[in-house]
Amino acid sequence: METTYPSLSELFVFLNTTLTQISIYYSHIPGSGILIKYIKNSHQDDPFRTILELLLVFFAIIYLFTNKYRTVNKLIELTPQEVEELVDEWQPEPLVPQLSDDDIKEFDKIPIINGPQGSRVKLINGKSLLNISSFDFLGLLSYESTKEKTIKTLREYGVGSCGPPGFYGTIDVHTEFERKISEFLGTEDTILYSQGFSTINSAIPSFCKRGDIIVADEGCNFSIQKGLQISRSIIKWYKHNNMEDLERVLRKIKDEDIETGRRLTRRFIVSEGLFANYGDITPLPKLIELKKKFKYRLILDESLSFGTLGKRGTGLTDYFDIDPNDVDMIVGSMCYSLGSSGGFCSGSFEITEHQRISGPAYCYSASLPAMLAVAATESLKLLKQNPGLPLALKYNTALFKQLLNNIKYLLLNGSQDSPVIHLRIDEEIVRVGDISDKEKCLQDVVDEATNNGILLTRAKYNRSQELFNIEPSIRICINASFTKKEIEKVASVIKNAAAKVLRNRVH
């Protein structure tokens, strides 16, 4: 029996009729015409996209009709006795780490001040000390006019703002400080932060994102390090205060861009003006020269240099006689020379406005209490009215370094005009062990100086999170209000204390 097959023409007629019927039925569906037009245009412009979408539709259909795999969660039932045993065995982790014997001894020795902070303080035992450990470089904490205005503001505005600056936390005293600091620095605009520590580590991630490149000094402080980590940018380090190494790093990045064809991203150089961990001053003219040469933006932390360097105390731009607009972002803390709290970032109007909508510490923190903003404004006013304060600080710094220049057993670290000085053990003369042993020796020097009327402090670091090793030191902060006799006394006591503690450790 022979099987008869339809002719080819009959087959084409059948397919044509079927497709026509399907097309008629499909055209009655709302929106079908738009979908057909989309598919045709998609196929015409990008056939690969059409194939990919068909595969995704095919996968969705398979996933929709496939049996789902489910696991049955069976809980292990424990008897009441087993539960009690587990509860008895569980030990919660301590909220704070256990103090070592050395930590306990150090805490017991910490002097407790009775009364306000300042360059001259009194302990609870009635003993008076010269405070050479305070960041109140200009002595503005002791001005009665600041205290009176702060008390008046407290009674008028209350304690806190109870709101972020971008919502209802900004009031007239905040905008007044921003305007005054911009006028003082010679910048276009300023943004006010409520915490000094979080100012720089909020300003950096406001502009630097994943894929951007930041070239930073290895000696940058802990706050800058945290800002660099938060930004998730590519971080390149150059040797501390070494402009030749900075140029080498910048040139290497440029060569890598050419070799790899890497796309152009935002580029920043980050440095401190006056380094907190070393007491030296960054060569700003060379920084600006390299920034312009390699087309980078410069973020400069002037927390310690503001109020202490330059004829007017405006920081490095004043010290080196440089246009402040050559620095893209000038960041400062109000916790030091201004004797208040909070921080600021000055620059162009675009720089500050961008931070008002993208700065983490600005958007998600309550604004600075009004009384602290007024205290900073008043300190700024006093700095303008007393132009001799930075000069007095410079004189006291030079005198102290001259008197301490030939100190035995310790090395004097810091730039010539820097009021921040670090004393580190001279290992060529003194026999010491590891970091803990060095810290113990320096703490003994601090304690001896305290017993003789000078309040000193060791520089403290969170070594578990610091990115680079920092040698232990005694940190000294010169004050403009000290007299010549007081400076001479400070230098003499430190010399004698170092000799008494370290003479038995000579090689």
Side-chain angles (χ1 to χ4, degrees):
M1 182 177 178
E2 294 183 0
T3 306
T4 59
Y5 295 98
S7 62
L8 191 59
S9 60
E10 292 175 345
L11 185 60
F12 278 128
V13 170
F14 173 76
L15 289 174
N16 187 44
T17 304
T18 305
L19 290 174
T20 302
Q21 291 295 326
I22 293 174
S23 176
I24 292 171
Y25 292 141
Y26 181 76
S27 63
H28 293 299
I29 301 175
S32 58
I34 298 174
L35 181 60
I36 288 293
K37 184 178 179 181
Y38 167 76
I39 294 174
K40 286 181 179 180
N41 292 336
S42 174
H43 178 76
Q44 179 181 356
D45 297 336
D46 190 0
F48 176 75
R49 178 179 174 183
T50 303
I51 296 172
L52 180 62
E53 290 181 352
L54 288 173
L55 289 174
L56 291 174
V57 171
F58 181 69
F59 174 77
I61 294 171
I62 294 177
Y63 181 79
L64 184 64
F65 292 100
T66 302
N67 292 330
K68 303 298 185 294
Y69 175 75
R70 293 185 177 87
T71 57
V72 179
N73 295 324
K74 292 184 178 180
L75 298 176
I76 301 173
E77 295 185 1
L78 301 175
T79 63
Q81 183 179 355
E82 289 174 331
V83 172
E84 290 296 329
E85 290 176 356
L86 289 173
V87 171
D88 293 337
E89 292 175 1
W90 181 73
Q91 292 292 333
E93 292 186 7
L95 296 176
V96 293
Q98 183 117 19
L99 295 176
S100 64
D101 293 338
D102 292 337
D103 291 333
I104 295 173
K105 290 179 182 178
E106 183 178 342
F107 283 132
D108 290 339
K109 293 180 181 178
I110 292 177
I112 302 174
I113 296 175
N114 182 21
Q117 273 277 12
S119 56
R120 300 160 187 84
V121 295
K122 184 173 288 187
L123 304 184
I124 56 172
N125 59 11
K127 187 175 183 179
S128 297
L129 301 176
L130 286 176
N131 187 2
I132 199 104
S133 61
S134 170
F135 285 116
D136 179 30
F137 298 105
L138 303 178
L140 297 179
L141 280 174
S142 59
Y143 278 73
E144 289 298 325
S145 61
T146 304
K147 297 176 184 178
E148 291 172 1
K149 288 202 171 184
T150 303
I151 294 172
K152 181 181 177 181
T153 305
L154 174 62
R155 289 172 176 164
E156 183 178 351
Y157 290 89
V159 177
S161 62
C162 301
F167 192 23
Y168 52 82
T170 298
I171 52 179
D172 55 349
V173 294
H174 296 134
T175 55
E176 181 186 3
F177 175 79
E178 292 176 345
R179 180 174 54 82
K180 297 272 188 180
I181 201 75
S182 296
E183 292 173 356
F184 186 63
L185 290 174
T187 55
E188 188 176 327
D189 197 22
T190 296
I191 181 173
L192 175 63
Y193 284 85
S194 54
Q195 299 96 16
F197 179 85
S198 61
T199 301
I200 185 70
N201 61 42
S202 178
I204 291 175
S206 295
F207 295 92
C208 311
K209 308 298 180 184
R210 191 188 300 274
D212 295 337
I213 296 178
I214 303 175
V215 182
D217 192 301
E218 289 182 351
C220 285
N221 59 49
F222 187 64
S223 180
I224 292 178
Q225 293 177 23
K226 286 299 160 188
L228 298 176
Q229 291 175 340
I230 294 170
S231 73
R232 301 177 296 176
S233 301
I234 300 170
I235 311 299
K236 304 288 186 180
W237 300 96
Y238 65 93
K239 294 178 182 178
H240 172 55
N241 234 8
N242 189 326
M243 295 298 103
E244 292 180 359
D245 192 57
L246 171 59
E247 186 170 6
R248 178 192 64 81
V249 173
L250 296 175
R251 194 173 299 280
K252 183 179 179 182
I253 294 172
K254 183 178 180 180
D255 293 340
E256 289 175 354
D257 290 341
I258 297 172
E259 292 173 3
T260 62
R262 180 167 53 194
R263 68 184 181 89
L264 184 63
T265 57
R266 286 165 291 198
R267 310 290 172 92
F268 297 86
I269 297 174
V270 178
S271 177
E272 283 184 83
L274 172 56
F275 288 89
N277 296 335
Y278 298 93
D280 44 9
I281 300 169
T282 193
L284 184 59
K286 187 64 177 178
L287 265 182
I288 292 177
E289 176 189 332
L290 293 175
K291 136 192 152 66
K292 291 181 177 179
K293 180 179 180 181
F294 291 92
K295 295 180 174 58
Y296 277 64
R297 294 181 177 91
L298 177 59
I299 302 176
L300 186 65
D301 185 354
E302 293 230 54
S303 294
L304 288 172
S305 51
F306 179 82
T308 62
L309 297 179
K311 295 179 181 178
R312 298 187 303 116
T314 55
L316 249 63
T317 54
D318 184 15
Y319 183 76
F320 288 107
D321 193 21
I322 289 176
D323 185 356
N325 294 308
D326 285 339
V327 181
D328 298 278
M329 277 186 274
I330 298 176
V331 183
S333 173
M334 296 142 61
C335 308
Y336 303 138
S337 295
L338 293 181
S340 182
S341 184
F344 62 87
C345 179
S346 286
S348 66
F349 181 78
E350 291 79 12
I351 288 288
T352 57
E353 284 303 296
H354 180 74
Q355 293 179 69
R356 295 187 198 279
I357 59 174
S358 65
Y362 186 85
C363 297
Y364 304 111
S365 298
S367 61
L368 186 71
M371 58 181 177
L372 295 177
V374 169
T377 304
E378 182 64 18
S379 294
L380 190 61
K381 178 182 175 182
L382 291 170
L383 179 56
K384 292 179 181 179
Q385 292 175 346
N386 297 274
L389 285 176
L391 295 176
L393 179 63
K394 183 178 180 180
Y395 172 80
N396 283 350
T397 300
L399 176 61
F400 178 81
K401 290 184 177 180
Q402 180 184 352
L403 294 171
L404 218 63
N405 189 41
N406 59 348
I407 187 173
K408 290 183 179 179
Y409 315 115
L410 295 175
L411 296 174
L412 194 69
N413 295 152
S415 297
Q416 180 62 32
D417 294 331
S418 168
V420 179
I421 302 163
H422 285 266
L423 298 177
R424 291 186 164 94
I425 294 176
D426 187 351
E427 296 187 48
E428 293 184 0
I429 300 176
V430 181
R431 183 180 67 257
V432 288
D434 58 5
I435 287 179
S436 298
D437 188 36
K438 294 176 185 177
E439 290 179 342
K440 184 177 182 303
C441 289
L442 293 174
Q443 186 60 46
D444 290 341
V445 175
V446 169
D447 295 338
E448 180 64 25
T450 303
N451 293 335
N452 288 276
I454 305 300
L455 185 58
L456 288 177
T457 182
R458 281 192 300 110
K460 307 293 180 67
Y461 306 102
N462 188 347
R463 296 193 177 276
S464 63
Q465 296 191 40
E466 288 280 353
L467 299 180
F468 297 96
N469 182 44
I470 306 172
E471 281 294 310
S473 66
I474 295 173
R475 187 189 64 234
I476 294 172
C477 297
I478 305 299
N479 197 294
S481 65
F482 286 153
T483 64
K484 183 179 179 180
K485 287 186 178 181
E486 288 174 331
I487 291 290
E488 291 172 347
K489 178 183 177 181
V490 169
S492 175
V493 168
I494 292 175
K495 277 185 178 181
N496 295 334
K500 182 177 180 180
V501 172
L502 300 173
R503 67 162 60 104
N504 297 327
R505 284 177 169 261
V506 177
H507 287 297

